[in-house]
Amino acid sequence: MSTLRILMNGSRGRMGQTIVACAKNDPALAISAEVDAGDDFHAALLDCDAVIDFTHHSVTAPVAAACAENGKLLVIGTTGHSDAEIAEIKNAARKIPVVFAPNFSIGVNALLWLTQKAAEILGSDFDLEVVEMHHRLKKDAPSGTAKRLAEILAEARALTYQKDVRHGREGIVGERTSAEIGMHAIRGGDVVGDHTVIFAAQGERVELSHKASSRETFARGALRAVKWASAQPPGLYDMQDVLGLK
Ligand code: NAD
């Protein structure tokens, strides 16, 4: 098998540095370029097979367009995109394989799957709340993973993310209705990423939790995704596709 040559975009960031370090331990992969803000992305793009993007939401859409134009597959870990930015990413995925996942850890992808099953089993008597905690430097809230968890809950209950997710509570908010999904983002310290889904009914409560203690779990998942995508036709994929959970 030939070596897959990766352009790491956001290479000076927390995730970029971790991915570069992990890739060096895999003989099937090579980092052809480490690119960060101010570097020449387009020159590096011509000399790679794949791009991994862990930057800022405003960066990803033009990166996706450039990858589509040059036939380079793209793995996106960046979160916090607007609907317009997501539409541009989807557009690029008509020409190249794109793996777009808010969380590359295998444990979190198991949590996504378990959340859907629990929502189906427990039904509408259970109130739904999502709680996430991340380090103090995280720029977007709620996390992309928390959003995805809420989307899964909304789909299982015929609710919508835009209309039915309630972000935090303050003041005289009134009684909770069954048609809402509570969302709470906690920030502090160096927490890599905690997510809990709470199903609360009269007399009982189910809580599904995942706690990441190292960024390497995301890095290894992103590298697994890039290898998997190199054998796929153009399309938009997520980590559930990579892990065969669909
Ligand atoms: P970070 O702030 O440490 O790193 C981001 C890097 O992107 C910085 O070095 C910054 O200089 C660089 N950057 C900014 N603009 C750029 C540009 N135009 N071109 C190239 N590089 C640019 O952040 P982080 O903790 O590494 O997280 C990055 C993103 O990844 C965030 O959106 C975060 O939520 C997400 N994330 C996703 C997962 C996952 O599994 N999908 C895991 C962790 C973090």
Side-chain angles (χ1 to χ4, degrees), residues 9-10 12-16 35-37 54-56 59 77-79 101-104 135 138-140 215 218:
N9 201 35
R12 289 199 287 274
R14 284 175 290 268
M15 278 307 304
V35 176
D36 206 281
F54 279 74
T55 55
H56 182 263
V59 176
T78 309
T79 60
N103 197 309
F104 281 100
H135 53 89
K138 184 166 173 62
K139 295 179 186 71
D140 55 315
R215 285 188 180 83
F218 310 127

